Amino acid sequence: MKCLLQIASVLALGLGLAASARQPPQHAFVAPGPGVSESGLYAGERLIKISETAQPQRMGVDDIFALRRAGVRFVDITDAQELYQGHGGAAVAAGALPATLAFGDEVRKAIAQLSTKLYGDVLTPFTAFHNRYYDSQYGRQSSEWLQKQITQLVDAHAFVSGNVTVRAFGHKFPQASIIVRIEGRDSAHAKDTVVISAHQDSVNMWLPWYGRASGADDDGSGTVTILESLRALLAQGFAPSRSVEFHWYAGEEGGLLGSQDVALDYKRGGRSVTANLHFDMTGFWKKESTELIGLVSDRTDPEVRALVKSLAETYTRLKTKEFACGYGCSDHASWNQAGYRSAMAFESDQLDANTYIHSPSDTVETLDFDHMLEFSKLAVAFAYEVGYAK
């Protein structure tokens, strides 16, 4: 049986490579040795949780990848067990959410700066990496490339860039998370942080190290959604009272690895995080369905969800609908587990509608940029209304 699975995997890879219409840049073909973890992350067994109530199980890399192929969502808690011990998820002190929406004029001026041009400009080369698997040189190279694009965007707005920093957040695997921080201008509130996030990695569900995984929607769409919102904010001279951070997480596909590292680091440091709004997949919806913004109802904060609903229905053309995402769904759950308030916006209310993900078929051509623009509006509104609130 194992032999048959290996043969099927090789055939899937061959078909995937043939199906890829876009030719990746030459550097994207640098690969680790056959079946070897680039970092040694999988040299031993990992501690895996597949539900809220199930006890974590030690698993080797083959069993972990079997979960992925079976569509079982999981969290790898090996290096973040502290978040799951005792009263994991206990509330952390944070600044208050706004009671009313008070910055409509500022939000609308910033929204007027938004366009879809950046989406294609960034996604075309970003999806040309053979994949963005976190435990490989593909993952490292794509992260370094993305950080360079972000740094150039920040540097292009020199009149505010002195108040903005861009840094890599390293992990035990090659791909780094990226954090942009816009320092708050109000000394009484600058230590409060607002986090807007997406994940940058992609994975082929059959052969993570070698399989083609364009990752346009999952989660290239979220990556450029928040990048465009950052561009518009900087162009508008955004100077919030609270500090506002944009995060691009590594290793989400490995069981929320990157976001757990970041959330645990913030919790250990006693960081005040007012709220996190996460964007995982914003570009695909079935045209026979109703176009809307999906709000994840589980492992999120009800007050933040209510605020996001209000922001969406005030500043975008779309209504919202809540739906359950399930265990290990995406990086918002890491913040929730750490005791911080979080919410997640999704491209629809149908979690598995996009059947192209985790394959060579998750391409730019499948995305609706106008739909994505509504999510960039939402990120801008969240940054203003929560970032300026006192």
PDB file of all heavy atoms in Angstrom, residues 160-190:
ATOM      1  N   VAL A 160       6.478  58.882   5.812  1.00  0.00           N
ATOM      2  CA  VAL A 160       6.027  58.175   7.018  1.00  0.00           C
ATOM      3  C   VAL A 160       6.943  57.015   7.374  1.00  0.00           C
ATOM      4  O   VAL A 160       6.806  56.432   8.438  1.00  0.00           O
ATOM      5  CB  VAL A 160       4.586  57.620   6.866  1.00  0.00           C
ATOM      6  CG1 VAL A 160       3.586  58.735   6.752  1.00  0.00           C
ATOM      7  CG2 VAL A 160       4.489  56.679   5.680  1.00  0.00           C
ATOM      8  N   SER A 161       7.890  56.657   6.478  1.00  0.00           N
ATOM      9  CA  SER A 161       8.642  55.428   6.679  1.00  0.00           C
ATOM     10  C   SER A 161       9.510  55.452   7.933  1.00  0.00           C
ATOM     11  O   SER A 161       9.900  54.398   8.438  1.00  0.00           O
ATOM     12  CB  SER A 161       9.515  55.116   5.455  1.00  0.00           C
ATOM     13  OG  SER A 161      10.462  56.140   5.246  1.00  0.00           O
ATOM     14  N   GLY A 162       9.811  56.645   8.453  1.00  0.00           N
ATOM     15  CA  GLY A 162      10.572  56.704   9.702  1.00  0.00           C
ATOM     16  C   GLY A 162       9.799  56.154  10.873  1.00  0.00           C
ATOM     17  O   GLY A 162      10.371  55.822  11.908  1.00  0.00           O
ATOM     18  N   ASN A 163       8.480  56.063  10.716  1.00  0.00           N
ATOM     19  CA  ASN A 163       7.622  55.551  11.773  1.00  0.00           C
ATOM     20  C   ASN A 163       7.184  54.115  11.499  1.00  0.00           C
ATOM     21  O   ASN A 163       6.343  53.579  12.197  1.00  0.00           O
ATOM     22  CB  ASN A 163       6.383  56.462  11.901  1.00  0.00           C
ATOM     23  CG  ASN A 163       5.735  56.370  13.265  1.00  0.00           C
ATOM     24  OD1 ASN A 163       6.419  56.336  14.272  1.00  0.00           O
ATOM     25  ND2 ASN A 163       4.414  56.333  13.290  1.00  0.00           N
ATOM     26  N   VAL A 164       7.762  53.513  10.456  1.00  0.00           N
ATOM     27  CA  VAL A 164       7.363  52.174  10.042  1.00  0.00           C
ATOM     28  C   VAL A 164       8.599  51.286   9.962  1.00  0.00           C
ATOM     29  O   VAL A 164       9.627  51.687   9.416  1.00  0.00           O
ATOM     30  CB  VAL A 164       6.671  52.197   8.663  1.00  0.00           C
ATOM     31  CG1 VAL A 164       6.179  50.801   8.287  1.00  0.00           C
ATOM     32  CG2 VAL A 164       5.517  53.185   8.648  1.00  0.00           C
ATOM     33  N   THR A 165       8.502  50.087  10.517  1.00  0.00           N
ATOM     34  CA  THR A 165       9.605  49.128  10.454  1.00  0.00           C
ATOM     35  C   THR A 165       9.140  47.842   9.781  1.00  0.00           C
ATOM     36  O   THR A 165       7.972  47.461   9.883  1.00  0.00           O
ATOM     37  CB  THR A 165      10.155  48.802  11.847  1.00  0.00           C
ATOM     38  OG1 THR A 165       9.085  48.290  12.671  1.00  0.00           O
ATOM     39  CG2 THR A 165      10.744  50.045  12.503  1.00  0.00           C
ATOM     40  N   VAL A 166      10.052  47.183   9.094  1.00  0.00           N
ATOM     41  CA  VAL A 166       9.800  45.891   8.456  1.00  0.00           C
ATOM     42  C   VAL A 166      10.844  44.914   8.975  1.00  0.00           C
ATOM     43  O   VAL A 166      12.038  45.200   8.924  1.00  0.00           O
ATOM     44  CB  VAL A 166       9.908  45.984   6.925  1.00  0.00           C
ATOM     45  CG1 VAL A 166       9.578  44.630   6.286  1.00  0.00           C
ATOM     46  CG2 VAL A 166       8.997  47.077   6.372  1.00  0.00           C
ATOM     47  N   ARG A 167      10.400  43.770   9.471  1.00  0.00           N
ATOM     48  CA  ARG A 167      11.373  42.802   9.986  1.00  0.00           C
ATOM     49  C   ARG A 167      10.917  41.378   9.718  1.00  0.00           C
ATOM     50  O   ARG A 167       9.716  41.103   9.566  1.00  0.00           O
ATOM     51  CB  ARG A 167      11.592  42.986  11.492  1.00  0.00           C
ATOM     52  CG  ARG A 167      10.411  42.622  12.374  1.00  0.00           C
ATOM     53  CD  ARG A 167      10.716  42.917  13.842  1.00  0.00           C
ATOM     54  NE  ARG A 167       9.595  42.638  14.724  1.00  0.00           N
ATOM     55  CZ  ARG A 167       9.450  41.505  15.429  1.00  0.00           C
ATOM     56  NH1 ARG A 167      10.370  40.547  15.332  1.00  0.00           N
ATOM     57  NH2 ARG A 167       8.409  41.327  16.217  1.00  0.00           N
ATOM     58  N   ALA A 168      11.896  40.492   9.646  1.00  0.00           N
ATOM     59  CA  ALA A 168      11.623  39.064   9.539  1.00  0.00           C
ATOM     60  C   ALA A 168      11.554  38.471  10.941  1.00  0.00           C
ATOM     61  O   ALA A 168      12.340  38.834  11.816  1.00  0.00           O
ATOM     62  CB  ALA A 168      12.699  38.371   8.728  1.00  0.00           C
ATOM     63  N   PHE A 169      10.611  37.565  11.156  1.00  0.00           N
ATOM     64  CA  PHE A 169      10.465  36.840  12.407  1.00  0.00           C
ATOM     65  C   PHE A 169      10.836  35.396  12.106  1.00  0.00           C
ATOM     66  O   PHE A 169      10.106  34.680  11.415  1.00  0.00           O
ATOM     67  CB  PHE A 169       9.033  36.945  12.932  1.00  0.00           C
ATOM     68  CG  PHE A 169       8.810  36.352  14.301  1.00  0.00           C
ATOM     69  CD1 PHE A 169       8.662  37.166  15.412  1.00  0.00           C
ATOM     70  CD2 PHE A 169       8.762  34.963  14.480  1.00  0.00           C
ATOM     71  CE1 PHE A 169       8.445  36.614  16.678  1.00  0.00           C
ATOM     72  CE2 PHE A 169       8.559  34.403  15.735  1.00  0.00           C
ATOM     73  CZ  PHE A 169       8.404  35.244  16.842  1.00  0.00           C
ATOM     74  N   GLY A 170      11.996  34.961  12.603  1.00  0.00           N
ATOM     75  CA  GLY A 170      12.515  33.646  12.251  1.00  0.00           C
ATOM     76  C   GLY A 170      11.863  32.501  13.005  1.00  0.00           C
ATOM     77  O   GLY A 170      11.325  32.675  14.104  1.00  0.00           O
ATOM     78  N   HIS A 171      11.926  31.325  12.398  1.00  0.00           N
ATOM     79  CA  HIS A 171      11.372  30.102  12.971  1.00  0.00           C
ATOM     80  C   HIS A 171      12.409  28.983  12.882  1.00  0.00           C
ATOM     81  O   HIS A 171      13.533  29.207  12.444  1.00  0.00           O
ATOM     82  CB  HIS A 171      10.102  29.697  12.223  1.00  0.00           C
ATOM     83  CG  HIS A 171       9.062  30.764  12.167  1.00  0.00           C
ATOM     84  ND1 HIS A 171       8.305  31.128  13.259  1.00  0.00           N
ATOM     85  CD2 HIS A 171       8.662  31.570  11.148  1.00  0.00           C
ATOM     86  CE1 HIS A 171       7.470  32.098  12.923  1.00  0.00           C
ATOM     87  NE2 HIS A 171       7.671  32.382  11.640  1.00  0.00           N
ATOM     88  N   LYS A 172      12.033  27.776  13.278  1.00  0.00           N
ATOM     89  CA  LYS A 172      12.934  26.629  13.207  1.00  0.00           C
ATOM     90  C   LYS A 172      13.033  26.045  11.797  1.00  0.00           C
ATOM     91  O   LYS A 172      13.758  25.091  11.577  1.00  0.00           O
ATOM     92  CB  LYS A 172      12.475  25.539  14.185  1.00  0.00           C
ATOM     93  CG  LYS A 172      12.661  25.911  15.647  1.00  0.00           C
ATOM     94  CD  LYS A 172      12.283  24.755  16.555  1.00  0.00           C
ATOM     95  CE  LYS A 172      12.567  25.090  18.017  1.00  0.00           C
ATOM     96  NZ  LYS A 172      12.212  23.967  18.918  1.00  0.00           N
ATOM     97  N   PHE A 173      12.301  26.603  10.883  1.00  0.00           N
ATOM     98  CA  PHE A 173      12.304  26.168   9.496  1.00  0.00           C
ATOM     99  C   PHE A 173      12.713  27.356   8.618  1.00  0.00           C
ATOM    100  O   PHE A 173      12.724  28.498   9.076  1.00  0.00           O
ATOM    101  CB  PHE A 173      10.926  25.616   9.095  1.00  0.00           C
ATOM    102  CG  PHE A 173       9.762  26.450   9.573  1.00  0.00           C
ATOM    103  CD1 PHE A 173       9.255  27.480   8.795  1.00  0.00           C
ATOM    104  CD2 PHE A 173       9.177  26.199  10.813  1.00  0.00           C
ATOM    105  CE1 PHE A 173       8.182  28.249   9.233  1.00  0.00           C
ATOM    106  CE2 PHE A 173       8.104  26.963  11.269  1.00  0.00           C
ATOM    107  CZ  PHE A 173       7.614  27.986  10.471  1.00  0.00           C
ATOM    108  N   PRO A 174      13.044  27.155   7.348  1.00  0.00           N
ATOM    109  CA  PRO A 174      13.654  28.215   6.549  1.00  0.00           C
ATOM    110  C   PRO A 174      12.792  29.444   6.306  1.00  0.00           C
ATOM    111  O   PRO A 174      13.314  30.568   6.217  1.00  0.00           O
ATOM    112  CB  PRO A 174      13.977  27.516   5.220  1.00  0.00           C
ATOM    113  CG  PRO A 174      14.095  26.077   5.570  1.00  0.00           C
ATOM    114  CD  PRO A 174      13.111  25.849   6.661  1.00  0.00           C
ATOM    115  N   GLN A 175      11.500  29.275   6.146  1.00  0.00           N
ATOM    116  CA  GLN A 175      10.646  30.416   5.836  1.00  0.00           C
ATOM    117  C   GLN A 175      10.434  31.276   7.074  1.00  0.00           C
ATOM    118  O   GLN A 175      10.126  30.774   8.160  1.00  0.00           O
ATOM    119  CB  GLN A 175       9.296  29.934   5.306  1.00  0.00           C
ATOM    120  CG  GLN A 175       8.409  31.042   4.761  1.00  0.00           C
ATOM    121  CD  GLN A 175       7.137  30.485   4.164  1.00  0.00           C
ATOM    122  OE1 GLN A 175       6.340  29.848   4.857  1.00  0.00           O
ATOM    123  NE2 GLN A 175       6.935  30.704   2.870  1.00  0.00           N
ATOM    124  N   ALA A 176      10.593  32.587   6.924  1.00  0.00           N
ATOM    125  CA  ALA A 176      10.364  33.529   8.020  1.00  0.00           C
ATOM    126  C   ALA A 176       9.000  34.190   7.872  1.00  0.00           C
ATOM    127  O   ALA A 176       8.507  34.387   6.753  1.00  0.00           O
ATOM    128  CB  ALA A 176      11.453  34.597   8.040  1.00  0.00           C
ATOM    129  N   SER A 177       8.373  34.514   8.990  1.00  0.00           N
ATOM    130  CA  SER A 177       7.220  35.396   8.970  1.00  0.00           C
ATOM    131  C   SER A 177       7.721  36.826   8.785  1.00  0.00           C
ATOM    132  O   SER A 177       8.897  37.128   9.020  1.00  0.00           O
ATOM    133  CB  SER A 177       6.415  35.270  10.260  1.00  0.00           C
ATOM    134  OG  SER A 177       5.855  33.975  10.396  1.00  0.00           O
ATOM    135  N   ILE A 178       6.844  37.715   8.354  1.00  0.00           N
ATOM    136  CA  ILE A 178       7.208  39.114   8.114  1.00  0.00           C
ATOM    137  C   ILE A 178       6.269  40.002   8.912  1.00  0.00           C
ATOM    138  O   ILE A 178       5.046  39.791   8.903  1.00  0.00           O
ATOM    139  CB  ILE A 178       7.108  39.458   6.620  1.00  0.00           C
ATOM    140  CG1 ILE A 178       7.988  38.513   5.791  1.00  0.00           C
ATOM    141  CG2 ILE A 178       7.527  40.913   6.372  1.00  0.00           C
ATOM    142  CD1 ILE A 178       7.700  38.569   4.299  1.00  0.00           C
ATOM    143  N   ILE A 179       6.837  40.980   9.603  1.00  0.00           N
ATOM    144  CA  ILE A 179       6.043  41.883  10.435  1.00  0.00           C
ATOM    145  C   ILE A 179       6.360  43.331  10.073  1.00  0.00           C
ATOM    146  O   ILE A 179       7.519  43.747  10.101  1.00  0.00           O
ATOM    147  CB  ILE A 179       6.315  41.646  11.931  1.00  0.00           C
ATOM    148  CG1 ILE A 179       5.858  40.237  12.330  1.00  0.00           C
ATOM    149  CG2 ILE A 179       5.620  42.708  12.789  1.00  0.00           C
ATOM    150  CD1 ILE A 179       6.167  39.870  13.773  1.00  0.00           C
ATOM    151  N   VAL A 180       5.332  44.077   9.716  1.00  0.00           N
ATOM    152  CA  VAL A 180       5.434  45.525   9.514  1.00  0.00           C
ATOM    153  C   VAL A 180       4.762  46.199  10.692  1.00  0.00           C
ATOM    154  O   VAL A 180       3.630  45.858  11.046  1.00  0.00           O
ATOM    155  CB  VAL A 180       4.744  45.958   8.206  1.00  0.00           C
ATOM    156  CG1 VAL A 180       4.693  47.485   8.109  1.00  0.00           C
ATOM    157  CG2 VAL A 180       5.466  45.371   7.000  1.00  0.00           C
ATOM    158  N   ARG A 181       5.442  47.138  11.305  1.00  0.00           N
ATOM    159  CA  ARG A 181       4.883  47.847  12.461  1.00  0.00           C
ATOM    160  C   ARG A 181       4.821  49.345  12.173  1.00  0.00           C
ATOM    161  O   ARG A 181       5.844  49.960  11.840  1.00  0.00           O
ATOM    162  CB  ARG A 181       5.715  47.598  13.712  1.00  0.00           C
ATOM    163  CG  ARG A 181       5.163  48.291  14.974  1.00  0.00           C
ATOM    164  CD  ARG A 181       5.950  47.879  16.216  1.00  0.00           C
ATOM    165  NE  ARG A 181       5.552  48.613  17.408  1.00  0.00           N
ATOM    166  CZ  ARG A 181       4.557  48.273  18.218  1.00  0.00           C
ATOM    167  NH1 ARG A 181       3.834  47.192  17.941  1.00  0.00           N
ATOM    168  NH2 ARG A 181       4.268  48.982  19.299  1.00  0.00           N
ATOM    169  N   ILE A 182       3.619  49.908  12.269  1.00  0.00           N
ATOM    170  CA  ILE A 182       3.411  51.357  12.202  1.00  0.00           C
ATOM    171  C   ILE A 182       3.251  51.821  13.638  1.00  0.00           C
ATOM    172  O   ILE A 182       2.254  51.511  14.298  1.00  0.00           O
ATOM    173  CB  ILE A 182       2.170  51.708  11.366  1.00  0.00           C
ATOM    174  CG1 ILE A 182       2.276  51.098   9.970  1.00  0.00           C
ATOM    175  CG2 ILE A 182       1.987  53.227  11.293  1.00  0.00           C
ATOM    176  CD1 ILE A 182       1.018  51.234   9.138  1.00  0.00           C
ATOM    177  N   GLU A 183       4.238  52.521  14.132  1.00  0.00           N
ATOM    178  CA  GLU A 183       4.258  52.895  15.549  1.00  0.00           C
ATOM    179  C   GLU A 183       3.154  53.883  15.873  1.00  0.00           C
ATOM    180  O   GLU A 183       2.922  54.853  15.156  1.00  0.00           O
ATOM    181  CB  GLU A 183       5.618  53.510  15.902  1.00  0.00           C
ATOM    182  CG  GLU A 183       5.930  53.524  17.383  1.00  0.00           C
ATOM    183  CD  GLU A 183       6.141  52.125  17.953  1.00  0.00           C
ATOM    184  OE1 GLU A 183       6.681  51.264  17.235  1.00  0.00           O
ATOM    185  OE2 GLU A 183       5.760  51.904  19.120  1.00  0.00           O
ATOM    186  N   GLY A 184       2.445  53.629  16.968  1.00  0.00           N
ATOM    187  CA  GLY A 184       1.396  54.537  17.402  1.00  0.00           C
ATOM    188  C   GLY A 184       1.939  55.887  17.818  1.00  0.00           C
ATOM    189  O   GLY A 184       3.026  55.978  18.386  1.00  0.00           O
ATOM    190  N   ARG A 185       1.165  56.944  17.542  1.00  0.00           N
ATOM    191  CA  ARG A 185       1.616  58.312  17.833  1.00  0.00           C
ATOM    192  C   ARG A 185       1.183  58.808  19.212  1.00  0.00           C
ATOM    193  O   ARG A 185       1.679  59.831  19.664  1.00  0.00           O
ATOM    194  CB  ARG A 185       1.067  59.272  16.758  1.00  0.00           C
ATOM    195  CG  ARG A 185       1.524  58.948  15.334  1.00  0.00           C
ATOM    196  CD  ARG A 185       3.023  59.060  15.167  1.00  0.00           C
ATOM    197  NE  ARG A 185       3.446  58.810  13.800  1.00  0.00           N
ATOM    198  CZ  ARG A 185       3.722  59.748  12.906  1.00  0.00           C
ATOM    199  NH1 ARG A 185       3.610  61.023  13.243  1.00  0.00           N
ATOM    200  NH2 ARG A 185       4.102  59.427  11.687  1.00  0.00           N
ATOM    201  N   ASP A 186       0.262  58.100  19.845  1.00  0.00           N
ATOM    202  CA  ASP A 186      -0.237  58.515  21.154  1.00  0.00           C
ATOM    203  C   ASP A 186       0.509  57.733  22.229  1.00  0.00           C
ATOM    204  O   ASP A 186       0.377  56.510  22.326  1.00  0.00           O
ATOM    205  CB  ASP A 186      -1.742  58.243  21.242  1.00  0.00           C
ATOM    206  CG  ASP A 186      -2.386  58.804  22.500  1.00  0.00           C
ATOM    207  OD1 ASP A 186      -1.699  58.876  23.545  1.00  0.00           O
ATOM    208  OD2 ASP A 186      -3.575  59.159  22.447  1.00  0.00           O
ATOM    209  N   SER A 187       1.289  58.429  23.047  1.00  0.00           N
ATOM    210  CA  SER A 187       2.126  57.740  24.040  1.00  0.00           C
ATOM    211  C   SER A 187       1.310  56.907  25.011  1.00  0.00           C
ATOM    212  O   SER A 187       1.793  55.910  25.554  1.00  0.00           O
ATOM    213  CB  SER A 187       2.977  58.757  24.804  1.00  0.00           C
ATOM    214  OG  SER A 187       2.154  59.712  25.464  1.00  0.00           O
ATOM    215  N   ALA A 188       0.071  57.291  25.238  1.00  0.00           N
ATOM    216  CA  ALA A 188      -0.771  56.554  26.183  1.00  0.00           C
ATOM    217  C   ALA A 188      -1.332  55.271  25.578  1.00  0.00           C
ATOM    218  O   ALA A 188      -1.783  54.395  26.312  1.00  0.00           O
ATOM    219  CB  ALA A 188      -1.922  57.444  26.659  1.00  0.00           C
ATOM    220  N   HIS A 189      -1.308  55.151  24.246  1.00  0.00           N
ATOM    221  CA  HIS A 189      -1.925  53.995  23.594  1.00  0.00           C
ATOM    222  C   HIS A 189      -0.997  53.252  22.639  1.00  0.00           C
ATOM    223  O   HIS A 189      -1.384  52.218  22.085  1.00  0.00           O
ATOM    224  CB  HIS A 189      -3.170  54.443  22.812  1.00  0.00           C
ATOM    225  CG  HIS A 189      -4.252  55.009  23.675  1.00  0.00           C
ATOM    226  ND1 HIS A 189      -4.340  56.347  23.997  1.00  0.00           N
ATOM    227  CD2 HIS A 189      -5.282  54.406  24.317  1.00  0.00           C
ATOM    228  CE1 HIS A 189      -5.392  56.546  24.775  1.00  0.00           C
ATOM    229  NE2 HIS A 189      -5.976  55.387  24.986  1.00  0.00           N
ATOM    230  N   ALA A 190       0.205  53.760  22.432  1.00  0.00           N
ATOM    231  CA  ALA A 190       1.104  53.168  21.438  1.00  0.00           C
ATOM    232  C   ALA A 190       1.478  51.726  21.765  1.00  0.00           C
ATOM    233  O   ALA A 190       1.817  50.943  20.862  1.00  0.00           O
ATOM    234  CB  ALA A 190       2.357  54.018  21.298  1.00  0.00           C
TER     235      ALA A 190
END
